[in-house]
C-alpha cells in the first residue's frame, strides 16, 4: 500500500475540493481560502488506520485546531462517518454540522443506548461513531452542540480580505418537508429496534435528509451532493433544492456527484439550475455485496453532462450472483467475519483560482 502523495498547499485565493475514497467510503476536504478548511464526511485510510482528512491536512502542515472551521457529517451511514469522532477531536475549534433531521428524542435514545458499547469497544457503525462525536463535543470547554443543518441555512461566512475573497458555505438540505417525514419515520422505527443489533438500522431513509452543501469562494463555487436522493415529492430531496427560491443562486463549477453516481440521486434540474454548463464532476464509488455504484449507464449519463468525470477509486462491476460453495466455506473457515475488501485510497484534487483550474489525481483515483 502506497501512502498518500500530496504536494503543496493551495494558494490563499484557491478553492480546493479534494475527494477521497477507498472504494467504500467518502471524505471531502475543502479549502475555503485564506488557510481555512472544511471537512465533509469521513473515511479511514486502511494502510494507516487514520481518518484520511486528518492525514491529508497534517501532511500539508496544517494545524487542525486552527485551520479546520467546519466538520460536516452529511448523513449517518457508516461509509460517510468512519473516523469522524477522531476528526472532531483534532479539529477542536471547528463547528460540527449534521442534518437537522437527526434532532429528535428517538435518535438520541438510539445514540444513548449505543454510547456505552461504542466507547467500550471499537465498533464502527455510523451510530456508534455519532455517539463518539457527541461525546467529543461534550468534552470541549464550551460543551459544544452539533449545528443542525437545513435548507438555505448559512453555515460559514468570511468577508473578503487582502488575502482571500469572500467565502460562504450554505446547507441546501434537508428541506422542512424531508425533516418532518424523517421525524415520523424515526418515531415509528425506533421503539421496535432499540435493543436489537445495529445491523437492523441500515435504512435508506438518511439519504432523503442528507446535507447538500454549496461553497463559494469569490466567484468560484462547488456543489457537494452528499447521498441525497431525488424521490417524487416536490418539497423533498433534490426537487426541494431545485424548487427553493432562497438558495444561493451562483451556479457551481465543481460537482461532487450525489450518491456515488446512482440514478436515484440524479435529476436534470441539478444540471440545469444548480451547476454551470459542463462542470467538473467527481465521485466516489460504492461497493458492497450486490450493490456497485456507479453502474456503466450512470457513468455514461454523467459524462454527457460534465466536461470531465473523475472517481476517487476504481469502479468495479458487481460480483457474480453467488460465490462458489467451496469459496464460501474457505472464507468461513479462515475469517470470523468476511467483508469485501476496500480498494486503495485515491484522491481527486480540484483547485480553482480566480483565473486558473487544476485537476490532479493521486493513487487509485482516475478519470472515467
Ligand atoms: Zn454513500
Amino acid at each position: 500500500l502506497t501512502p498518500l502523495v500530496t504536494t503543496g498547499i493551495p494558494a490563499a485565493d484557491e478553492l480546493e475540493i479534494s475527494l477521497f475514497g477507498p472504494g467504500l467510503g467518502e471524505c471531502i476536504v475543502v479549502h475555503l481560502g485564506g488557510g481555512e478548511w472544511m471537512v465533509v464526511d469521513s473515511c479511514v485510510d486502511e494502510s494507516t488506520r487514520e481518518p484520511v482528512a486528518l492525514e491529508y491536512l497534517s501532511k500539508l502542515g496544517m494545524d487542525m485546531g486552527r485551520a479546520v472551521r467546519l466538520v460536516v457529517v452529511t448523513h449517518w451511514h457508516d461509509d460517510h462517518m468512519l473516523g469522524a469522532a477522531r476528526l472532531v477531536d483534532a479539529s477542536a475549534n471547528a463547528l460540527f454540522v449534521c442534518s437537522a433531521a437527526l434532532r429528535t428524542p428517538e435518535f438520541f435514545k438510539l445514540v444513548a443506548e449505543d454510547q456505552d458499547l461504542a466507547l467500550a469497544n471499537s465498533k464502527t457503525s455510523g451510530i456508534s461513531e455519532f455517539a463518539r462525536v457527541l461525546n467529543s463535543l461534550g468534552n470541549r470547554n464550551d460543551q459544544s452542540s452539533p449545528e443542525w443543518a437545513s435548507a438555505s441555512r448559512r453555515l460559514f461566512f468570511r468577508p473578503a480580505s487582502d488575502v482571500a475573497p469572500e467565502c460562504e458555505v450554505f446547507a441546501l438540505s434537508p428541506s422542512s418537508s424531508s425533516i418532518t417525514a424523517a421525524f415520523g419515520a424515526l418515531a415509528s422505527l425506533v421503539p421496535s429496534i432499540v435493543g436489537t443489533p445495529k445491523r437492523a438500522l441500515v435504512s435508506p431513509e438518511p439519504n432523503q435528509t442528507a446535507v447538500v452543501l454549496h461553497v463559494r469562494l469569490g466567484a468560484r463555487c462547488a456543489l457537494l451532493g452528499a447521498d441525497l436522493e431525488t424521490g417524487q415529492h416536490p418539497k423533498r430531496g433534490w426537487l426541494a433544492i431545485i424548487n427553493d427560491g432562497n438558495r444561493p443562486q451562483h451556479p457551481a463549477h465543481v460537482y461532487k456527484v450525489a450518491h456515488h453516481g446512482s440514478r436515484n440521486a440524479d435529476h436534470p434540474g441539478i444540471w440545469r439550475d444548480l451547476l454551470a454548463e459542463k462542470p467538473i464532476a467527481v465521485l466516489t464509488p460504492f461497493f458492497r455485496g450486490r450493490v456497485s455504484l456507479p453502474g456503466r449507464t450512470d457513468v455514461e449519463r454523467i459524462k454527457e453532462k460534465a466536461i470531465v468525470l473523475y472517481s476517487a477509486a476504481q469502479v468495479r462491476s458487481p460480483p457474480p450472483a453467488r460465490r462458489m460453495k467451496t469459496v464460501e466455506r474457505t472464507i468461513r473457515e479462515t475469517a470470523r467475519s468476511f467483508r469485501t475488501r476496500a480498494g486503495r485510497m485515491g484522491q481527486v484534487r480540484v483547485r480553482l483560482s480566480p483565473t486558473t483550474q487544476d485537476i490532479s489525481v493521486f493513487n487509485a483515483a482516475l478519470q472515467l
Side-chain angles (χ1 to χ4, degrees):
L1 289 161
T2 37
L4 284 167
V5 181
T6 45
T7 48
I9 58 170
D13 62 356
E14 267 183 324
L15 175 63
E16 171 175 331
I17 309 295
S18 266
L19 177 66
F20 296 89
L24 178 61
E26 179 171 301
C27 175
I28 314 164
V29 181
V30 181
H31 181 235
L32 301 170
E36 298 191 298
W37 296 79
M38 167 171 74
V39 180
V40 182
D41 292 337
S42 182
C43 61
V44 169
D45 183 339
E46 283 218 337
S47 63
T48 60
R49 303 255 150 219
E50 286 286 309
V52 69
L54 200 57
E55 198 170 60
Y56 177 56
L57 290 171
S58 304
K59 278 187 180 161
L60 293 184
M62 295 298 142
D63 171 355
M64 298 287 290
R66 294 165 66 103
V68 182
R69 300 301 308 277
L70 297 161
V71 174
V72 184
V73 166
T74 62
H75 60 300
W76 50 280
H77 277 165
D78 54 4
D79 61 317
H80 294 256
M81 274 207 80
L82 289 192
R86 273 190 284 162
L87 205 55
V88 169
D89 271 338
S91 313
N93 290 304
L95 193 64
F96 173 76
V97 180
C98 62
S99 174
L102 300 180
R103 194 185 193 172
T104 68
E106 289 85 6
F107 187 76
F108 277 79
K109 192 172 165 190
L110 275 179
V111 170
E113 176 168 274
D114 210 70
Q115 194 148 28
D116 297 337
L117 270 173
L119 296 174
N121 58 59
S122 55
K123 285 203 315 159
T124 52
S125 77
I127 198 137
S128 57
E129 193 71 45
F130 200 90
R132 288 195 193 90
V133 168
L134 290 182
N135 196 55
S136 174
L137 292 175
N139 286 339
R140 287 184 182 178
N141 289 336
D142 60 351
Q143 298 203 333
S144 299
S145 154
E147 186 72 17
W148 305 102
S150 57
S152 293
R153 183 181 174 91
R154 191 164 75 175
L155 301 170
F156 178 78
F157 176 75
R158 191 193 57 232
S161 70
D162 295 345
V163 213
E166 184 175 275
C167 177
E168 49 186 3
V169 178
F170 272 86
L172 303 189
S173 62
S175 68
S176 296
S177 178
S178 300
I179 294 170
T180 307
F183 285 177
L186 265 176
S188 61
L189 174 76
V190 166
S192 62
I193 54 171
V194 165
T196 66
K198 294 304 174 279
R199 199 176 296 274
L201 284 177
V202 179
S203 132
E205 175 267 320
N207 288 353
Q208 300 290 344
T209 54
V211 181
V212 170
L213 297 166
H214 185 276
V215 185
R216 182 176 65 81
L217 178 62
R220 298 296 215 168
C221 300
L223 178 68
L224 309 178
D227 275 6
L228 190 72
E229 293 177 7
T230 305
Q232 303 294 323
H233 197 296
K235 297 198 166 178
R236 296 182 193 160
W238 276 107
L239 292 175
I241 297 180
I242 293 162
N243 296 327
D244 182 359
N246 293 321
R247 65 172 153 74
Q249 294 299 310
H250 310 77
H253 312 99
V254 183
Y255 179 37
K256 197 298 286 178
V257 178
H259 202 204
H260 316 285
S262 172
R263 196 164 52 98
N264 69 11
D266 203 356
H267 189 279
I270 299 173
W271 303 90
R272 186 189 62 224
D273 299 343
L274 307 177
L275 296 169
E277 203 174 326
K278 293 281 175 184
I280 297 164
V282 296
L283 59 73
T284 61
F286 179 92
F287 189 81
R288 182 186 275 160
R290 296 283 303 143
V291 180
S292 180
L293 292 169
R296 203 156 37 92
T297 54
D298 297 324
V299 171
E300 281 166 15
R301 190 188 66 250
I302 296 162
K303 279 172 75 174
E304 265 176 32
K305 302 274 180 56
I307 189 157
V308 280
L309 172 62
Y310 285 87
S311 174
Q314 198 81 43
V315 173
R316 290 186 264 185
S317 37
R322 295 206 51 172
R323 285 191 203 90
M324 284 165 57
K325 282 231 167 67
T326 49
V327 176
E328 294 272 11
R329 194 183 321 124
T330 311
I331 288 166
R332 272 201 305 277
E333 283 163 3
T334 53
R336 196 164 56 85
S337 75
F338 174 78
R339 257 190 0 172
T340 309
R341 202 182 145 68
R344 282 173 61 218
M345 180 70 74
Q347 175 187 3
V348 182
R349 188 189 73 191
V350 182
R351 283 181 176 174
L352 304 176
S353 82
T355 52
T356 62
Q357 66 179 45
D358 172 77
I359 309 173
S360 305
V361 290
F362 302 95
N363 297 324
L366 71 162
Q367 186 174 357
L368 299 178

